């Protein structure tokens, strides 16, 4: 059985694409078959893996419109075991079609994924920074959700709205099994007091939903050593411009290690 994980947060700039790309790559280097679906019209996940928009004729837009099967738009990446369904700016225009087609519109992506799901162990969906029809589709198709939360001011803003949306999808029977896999602090700086304060607030209110490190978490000197957190990292910021996930750009960097820790937590059932 395959698992679908959507990376979601309606707030932009919190590390959704970075998390989607690098979690997918980290699962792939563990020799799990992974499909990354770029479900954002900005198509940053697509370009982060070295693809140029102008070179891609068909993408997820054509799948949603029914002119292509999802199997026909899948691209091999430079990471073994990892494939990509690319996106394009044309995805912006899909939303009015969702609004005009009210019959089962929340389940369009889920139905497309079923066609190829048995080829993969994990399917990771990079969702757009909004709670519109695309994100609803991404959540409806998922088994679980990872919510990146930037360790900066207003970090928790909008989190309640996203949690409420997840609850509505469950209560309305659209995706009754959907669960929050975990909250993922991103862009953490140990030299920044605000980062530490945000982590304190997260641990106070959502400790059970933070990803824990696999060993020694109760004996760490610093609170940030207990949790899997994504650091503010130059290597993470640079790697997309080289068309690579960070583990192919600098596997020993702090960002690469953090995403490999996250992948191990996922594999261990966290």
């Amino acid at each position: 059985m395959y698992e679908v994980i959507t990376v979601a947060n309606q707030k932009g700039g919190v590390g959704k694409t970075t998390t989607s790309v690098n979690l997918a790559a980290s699962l792939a280097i563990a020799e799990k078959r992974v499909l990354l679906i770029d479900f954002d019209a900005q198509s940053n996940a697509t370009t982060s893996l070295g693809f140029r928009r102008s070179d891609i004729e068909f993408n997820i837009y054509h799948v949603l419109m029914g002119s292509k099967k999802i199997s026909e738009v899948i691209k091999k990446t430079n990471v073994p075991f990892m494939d990509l369904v690319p996106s394009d700016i044309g995805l912006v225009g899909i939303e009015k079609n969702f609004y005009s087609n009210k019959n089962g519109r929340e389940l369009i992506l889920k139905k497309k994924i079923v066609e190829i799901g048995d080829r993969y162990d994990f399917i990771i969906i990079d969702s757009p920074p909004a709670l519109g029809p695309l994100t609803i589709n991404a959540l409806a198709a998922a088994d679980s959700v990872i919510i990146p939360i930037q360790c900066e001011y207003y970090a928790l803003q909008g989190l309640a709205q996203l949690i409420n949306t997840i609850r509505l999808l469950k209560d309305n029977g659209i995706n009754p099994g959907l669960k929050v896999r975990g909250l993922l602090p991103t862009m953490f700086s140990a030299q920044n007091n605000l980062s530490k304060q945000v982590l304190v607030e997260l641990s106070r209110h959502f400790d059970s939903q933070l990803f824990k490190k696999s060993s020694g978490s109760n004996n760490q000197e610093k609170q940030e050593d207990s949790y899997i957190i994504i650091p503010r990292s130059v290597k993470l910021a640079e790697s997309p411009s080289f068309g690579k996930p960070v583990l192919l750009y600098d596997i020993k960097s702090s960002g690469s290690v953090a995403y490999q820790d996250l992948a191990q937590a996922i594999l261990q059932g966290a």
Side-chain angles (χ1 to χ4, degrees):
M1 291 292 292
Y2 60 95
E3 180 177 356
V4 181
I5 302 174
T6 289
V7 181
N9 189 326
Q10 72 269 32
K11 189 175 185 296
V14 300
K16 284 190 301 297
T17 297
T18 299
T19 294
S20 299
V21 169
N22 289 291
L23 172 59
S26 296
L27 290 168
I29 65 164
E31 298 190 353
K32 298 299 179 181
R33 300 167 301 164
V34 182
L35 176 65
L36 173 62
I37 299 178
D38 188 348
F39 213 52
D40 185 354
Q42 298 176 86
S43 60
N44 288 334
T46 299
T47 56
S48 292
L49 289 170
F51 294 94
R52 294 195 303 177
R53 299 181 185 93
S54 59
D55 293 338
I56 297 174
E57 186 175 2
F58 301 110
N59 54 70
I60 190 64
Y61 170 82
H62 301 93
V63 175
L64 296 176
M65 293 300 293
S67 60
K68 288 290 177 180
K69 293 182 178 180
I70 193 168
S71 59
E72 295 177 306
V73 305
I74 290 174
K75 302 290 185 183
K76 292 288 183 183
T77 73
N78 54 8
V79 182
F81 298 97
M82 179 178 167
D83 295 341
L84 170 73
V85 172
S87 181
D88 185 77
I89 191 64
L91 199 57
V92 170
I94 199 74
E95 295 203 357
K96 63 180 181 181
N97 294 86
F98 281 140
Y99 284 121
S100 62
N101 178 22
K102 295 184 179 180
N103 186 22
R105 64 187 180 189
E106 300 91 352
L107 300 174
I108 295 175
L109 179 61
K110 182 174 184 177
K111 292 175 181 177
K112 303 299 183 182
I113 287 174
V114 168
E115 298 173 12
I116 46 83
D118 59 0
R119 301 184 188 181
Y120 299 97
D121 299 303
F122 291 94
I123 296 174
I124 309 297
I125 304 173
D126 182 25
S127 64
L131 281 180
L134 291 176
T135 298
I136 297 301
N137 260 258
L139 293 172
D143 298 300
S144 63
V145 187
I146 292 176
I147 305 174
I149 299 180
Q150 187 179 9
C151 290
E152 292 187 359
Y153 196 54
Y154 294 134
L156 302 182
Q157 189 179 58
L159 179 60
Q161 187 179 3
L162 177 57
I163 296 297
N164 185 57
T165 299
I166 292 170
R167 183 169 60 248
L168 288 173
L169 288 172
K170 296 172 66 173
D171 293 346
N172 292 338
I174 295 172
N175 191 353
L178 182 61
K179 64 178 182 179
V180 176
R181 191 64 177 267
L183 308 182
L184 182 67
T186 62
M187 304 180 194
F188 180 87
S189 173
Q191 289 74 44
N192 188 320
N193 286 332
L194 182 56
S195 282
K196 295 179 180 179
Q197 291 169 12
V198 170
L199 187 59
V200 167
E201 289 299 307
L202 285 171
S203 64
R204 180 179 301 160
H205 298 289
F206 302 101
D207 180 74
S208 64
Q209 293 183 299
L210 291 170
F211 292 100
K212 307 294 196 305
K213 291 190 176 177
S214 58
S215 62
S217 60
N218 294 324
N219 300 312
Q220 302 290 345
E221 293 182 2
K222 299 178 182 179
Q223 184 184 43
E224 57 262 32
D225 293 334
S226 301
Y227 303 107
I228 295 174
I229 56 177
I230 308 303
R232 187 174 290 280
S233 163
V234 172
K235 299 298 185 181
L236 273 178
E238 288 178 344
S239 59
S241 65
F242 289 88
K244 299 178 180 180
V246 69
L247 63 84
L248 291 187
Y249 182 60
D250 186 347
I251 195 169
K252 295 182 180 180
S253 67
S254 58
S256 177
V257 170
Y259 278 114
Q260 290 177 69
D261 286 345
L262 177 60
Q264 286 303 310
I266 297 294
L267 292 173
Q268 292 166 11

